[in-house]
Amino acid sequence: MRTNDRTLSIFALGGINEIGKNMYVVQYADDIFIVDCGGKFPDESLLGIDLIIPDITYLEENQEKIRALIVTHGHEDHIGGIPYILRKLKIPIYATHFTLGLIELKIDEHRLHGNTKLMTIDTNSKLEFGDVAVSFFRVSHSIPDCLGIVFHTPEGNVVHTGDFKFDLTPVNNQHSDIHKMANIGQQGVLVLLSESTNAERKGLTPTEQIIGDHLDEAFMKADGKIFISTFASNVNRVQQVVAAAIKANRKIALLGRSMVNVVSVAIERGYLTMPEGMIIEPREVDRLPPEKVVILCTGSQGEQMAALSRLASGNFRDVSVYPGDMVILAASPIPGNEKDVSRIIDNLFQLGAKVIYGSGSTTGMHVSGHGYQEDLKLMLTLMNPTYFIPIHGEYRMLHHHRLLAESVGVEKGNTFIIKNGDVVDVENQVARQTRSVPAGDTYVDGMGVGDVGEIVLRDRKQLSEDGMLVIVITINKGDRRIISGPDTITRGFVYARNSDELLKEINRLAKKTINDLQGENIRQWNVIKQNIKKSVGQYVFSQTKRKPMILPIIIEI
């Protein structure tokens, strides 16, 4: 389908068929609006990768059309990619007061502040961009200042819900704008994009208030130090910890850079109330009686270098977990992190700690910030969209969300389950999905962004599984005779002292390969190296069933 110059186009560059790196695009004619720019943490198959962010090839090719990056809230999967795309795109960022505080931390860390225009918005803001106006509505989530977005276009209204649940008793008193949502629905919603994280879970999401009661009870029972691990950005949960600590007459120490940074921003901007003198330095923990201390730390997802993992392995410099201490995991594992979290829990039990973990309304220390089925159905009913695009979830979640939409009146065939890059085009208020734009993963590795691809990852995987062999040979530059070697160095393949015969045969094969090729008057180094790799590789596999990386090094003198 060919699009005209007044087409409304909607697509995702990240966040569909996955949890993380959310980035959505709404484009009307030559006006492009980006919603969120998140990152996703790698699994164990992506060796050495620090972060995954969306592929922004389409945005780079159309940079002059981008009007704004609008951020729904401050979680990492919605803001984690911002400092990396700002190196390539110069775009204004619109976000709420608290969310901007978290974004500024990232921009300062990456030294990009002078290049970025930051604009504060709230639920009452209205932005005008030519033919498109943008307005907002408040939603409840597990972090302050969360917004849904309405794009008012000549084709019709497009609504992006952000992450949400309907909590009628939110800890921070930021209630969902239910009346405003109903008014938006009455005005008419052409396309609704709504998150699908908990589309498989029946009922309504429990209120955050129950966690406060569980924390109070646990604090009163504890007779040693209390460690609590949660997402640093879950300011609502941090406020509940503060309240429980006040009742139990305990001081609070913060472990983990992100926890320290977020708490300082939340206090500075008025989103976290903390009595003066309540926070102590980690080095002060051991100077106080254990029953007078709470340690609030990062690492609830099992991250190896985060505070909780280091505490569980006894590697934290200033603070230790002793028998009788209580450890509370006030977050549930993101899919894929279960193994790492279980390992930490096992280590904590081995240290003699009392560990409380798991979610739920009876004993758990965590409730989800994402709406269950009844929350999702309520949003669909309030918005009453003509077309529906489920987002922010894996395929099964999107599928269940489609069924929920149809159960509350969205016409069958009007729901688009798309992949990242698939474009839904709307012309004359008729939506079709017939084309796509480039989309995928960009890997961040140290200071490098996008410079590590499949070939490098394949090499890393091979090195991690079978190790490497380096074969060093010195050759006379004049007559091409071997002066010394071959000498084989092995790393991660076999233990050299126990493998003399194997390494001698490898050296013999390498020498024979070079002599045979010289006999055929073949002198190209690349051909010689390839033949060494082939002959040695075949022999090594026949003897060990392993495929180490083989690196021949030929030195001419």
Side-chain angles (χ1 to χ4, degrees), residues 356-367:
I356 300 175
Y357 58 98
S359 10
S361 57
T362 53
T363 59
M365 289 291 181
H366 175 69
V367 296

Side-chain angles (χ1 to χ4, degrees), residues 1 10 103 121 150 155 184 225 259 268 401 443 511 519:
M1 167 183 167
I10 303 162
I103 292 171
I121 54 174
V150 187
E155 279 286 348
I184 293 166
K225 295 194 298 294
M259 184 65 73
E268 176 192 334
H401 205 172
Y443 300 130
K511 187 172 184 178

